[in-house]
Amino acid sequence: MTVKYKINELFETIQGEGAFTGQPSIFIRLQGCPVACSWCDTKHTWAINLEDEVTPNAMLTKEAESQTWSALTVKDILAMITAEGYQAKHIVITGGEPAMVDLLPLCQALETHGFSCQLETSGTFELQVSAKCWVTVSPKVNMKGGYKILNSAMLRANEIKHPVATEQHIDDLKALLAEHNIVNTQVYLQPISQKERATALAIKSCIENNWRLSVQVHKYLGIE
């Protein structure tokens, strides 16, 4: 059976977060997420409604955020990237929560065609990706959806990118790292907003703990 992925967006831009900040990237944004983060900036990707399915062209050319999506095979995705003339060789698979589905066929096909893959996930689902795929776990603690962060996801992470606005978020992260015995994985703190207080807390905590700062460069630049 051919796997079809529910794609909300597919576009080329600059990665603005984490270890690949500044990297030209093609974003594949999947529809669907039950985690329900209160500060999520892509809430339009949460629900999967059959009436929201649109054609691939309508998905690709929409001019505003919406919960519409298109079902694409791996072959469809590769053809769309080629047809659009995208030059980036780094693919970011995001959402929504992309780890809800088996991403191994997608990763393997992309890597066969010369792309590198990066997964952005909350760490609440078992990861089905290639061995080469760079995994960014952005752990969501005590969210409304009630999902637990999996030890397997934390141990697979190449980087941990933690949203932060309050001291409680710092305490949550430290407890999470201790619980899963995470020692050498690079940790990035990402202010939940561009507000001065959240950014100052992130900077202070990075210095105290030898973590790194991720400031969502794309938002400061005004790009997607």
Side-chain angles (χ1 to χ4, degrees):
M1 182 177 177
T2 302
V3 178
K4 286 193 173 183
Y5 296 98
K6 295 176 176 64
I7 309 298
N8 179 282
E9 288 185 285
L10 193 154
F11 59 94
E12 186 176 50
T13 187
I14 297 292
Q15 170 63 290
E17 302 177 1
F20 288 95
T21 295
Q23 176 81 38
S25 302
I26 298 166
F27 275 67
I28 300 174
R29 188 180 303 284
L30 274 65
Q31 187 74 14
C33 182
V35 180
C37 303
S38 58
W39 61 80
C40 177
D41 57 5
T42 56
K43 290 183 179 181
H44 59 284
T45 66
W46 287 9
I48 299 177
N49 299 315
L50 295 181
E51 61 268 27
D52 290 327
E53 183 175 4
V54 297
T55 66
N57 185 63
M59 178 276 295
L60 189 65
T61 58
K62 60 183 175 182
E63 297 181 353
E65 292 181 351
S66 76
Q67 59 186 28
T68 58
W69 52 270
S70 183
L72 302 180
T73 65
V74 170
K75 185 177 179 180
D76 295 333
I77 292 169
L78 287 167
M80 187 173 286
I81 290 171
T82 300
E84 290 301 302
Y86 293 152
Q87 297 300 303
K89 303 302 290 184
H90 184 66
I91 305 282
V92 181
I93 305 169
T94 186
E97 175 46 77
M100 290 172 60
V101 298
D102 184 359
L103 297 169
L104 184 58
L106 179 58
C107 291
Q108 290 178 333
L110 290 169
E111 289 166 358
T112 297
H113 285 78
F115 295 97
S116 59
C117 293
Q118 177 184 2
L119 170 66
E120 295 186 343
T121 176
S122 62
T124 55
F125 288 83
E126 294 291 346
L127 305 183
Q128 302 174 81
V129 294
S130 64
K132 293 181 180 179
C133 181
W134 179 276
V135 174
T136 301
V137 172
S138 184
K140 305 302 191 295
V141 181
N142 296 326
M143 293 296 111
K144 185 177 180 181
Y147 286 81
K148 300 297 183 182
I149 297 161
L150 302 181
N151 181 254
S152 58
M154 292 292 289
L155 295 179
R156 176 62 178 82
N158 296 99
E159 64 176 344
I160 295 169
K161 180 163 58 69
H162 190 65
V164 57
T166 67
E167 289 285 356
Q168 183 61 54
H169 294 140
I170 302 299
D171 293 341
D172 289 343
L173 175 59
K174 289 180 177 179
L176 196 65
L177 296 176
E179 176 186 352
H180 298 285
N181 195 28
I182 303 299
V183 178
N184 295 319
T185 306
Q186 186 61 63
V187 174
Y188 286 81
L189 288 190
Q190 186 161 288
I192 288 175
S193 67
Q194 283 73 54
K195 293 181 180 178
E196 184 177 346
R197 180 179 177 182
T199 303
L201 173 61
I203 291 172
K204 170 178 172 289
S205 300
C206 283
I207 292 173
E208 290 176 350
N209 297 280
N210 197 31
W211 296 333
R212 298 186 182 185
L213 184 68
S214 175
V215 294
Q216 295 185 293
V217 168
H218 55 293
K219 292 187 177 181
Y220 287 95
L221 296 176
I223 61 176
E224 190 169 12

